[in-house]
Amino acid sequence: MYENYETPLGRPVESLQTMLREISRVDEAVPPVIPDGIYGDQTARSVVRFQEAKGLPATGVVDLDTWDAIVRAFDQALESIYPVCFAPRLLPKEAVLPGDSHFLLYIIQAMFAALATVLGGVPPVQVSGTHDEASVKAVKWLQRCAGMDEHGAVDIPTWSALARLSAALMPASNDGLPLTKNDDELYYPQEDGRMR
């Protein structure tokens, strides 16, 4: 279906595929795509179906109008698929200091515990609501990884770094659909780039 002098590859294609995949969860007209970074037949088919559904010229080519429509549809899909993220109730100069007890620490400590299941090197913490020695050690680890001052307090920049890391690394539910080619045992790319 997709014919071009060279096949586009890389992160922009993978981003496109990721957006189409999320759109397909809320729009049955758009077939899901496995984000593999290769603009092949599967991706072109999904783009054409998206273009048809949105009243755009069904070329399979992602021009600026198509890209903008995909981004808008992706944003709308995310709003309906994922709940609004929790924002901390810290003031700009407020921080949870070592030794403090705070309701946010339950969430923060649970996030560190969850991250430890998918990322090596995360210091172990207990979910206690108290910013104890283990909790401070985990916060300092995060601050070091994020290139921040290692003060151990939880402030808004530290919360933001933890939220970004969690969003990037924690697996999301995709109704049984693989997130990437590596998430599905049944995905075996052949030498010609097609799936079996």
Side-chain angles (χ1 to χ4, degrees), residues 130-151:
T130 300
H131 203 19
D132 57 19
E133 185 178 329
S135 181
V136 170
K137 184 177 179 181
V139 169
K140 285 183 177 181
W141 170 86
L142 171 70
Q143 291 167 333
R144 182 173 52 257
C145 292
M148 303 166 69
D149 290 337
E150 295 178 47
H151 48 71

Side-chain angles (χ1 to χ4, degrees), residues 38-62:
I38 300 169
Y39 195 108
D41 288 345
Q42 181 188 41
T43 303
R45 216 175 356 265
S46 190
V47 168
V48 166
R49 298 279 162 66
F50 177 85
Q51 290 169 326
E52 290 170 348
K54 299 300 179 187
L56 297 165
T59 62
V61 175
V62 181

Side-chain angles (χ1 to χ4, degrees), residues 89-163:
R89 300 229 183 240
L90 292 175
L91 298 174
K93 298 202 183 270
E94 185 181 14
V96 179
L97 303 174
D100 285 355
S101 293
H102 198 285
F103 78 97
L104 275 180
L105 286 168
Y106 289 102
I107 297 165
I108 291 165
Q109 291 166 335
M111 290 170 75
F112 275 117
L115 282 170
T117 67
V118 295
L119 183 65
V122 179
V125 297
Q126 295 294 319
V127 179
S128 65
T130 300
H131 203 19
D132 57 19
E133 185 178 329
S135 181
V136 170
K137 184 177 179 181
V139 169
K140 285 183 177 181
W141 170 86
L142 171 70
Q143 291 167 333
R144 182 173 52 257
C145 292
M148 303 166 69
D149 290 337
E150 295 178 47
H151 48 71
V154 179
D155 52 11
I156 290 175
T158 302
W159 170 264
S160 295
L162 179 59

Side-chain angles (χ1 to χ4, degrees), residues 34-38 178-189 195:
I34 295 175
D36 62 5
I38 300 169
L179 294 170
T180 67
K181 62 184 178 187
N182 298 323
D183 291 337
D184 187 349
E185 296 175 12
L186 302 177
Y187 180 89
Y188 297 103
M195 292 190 318

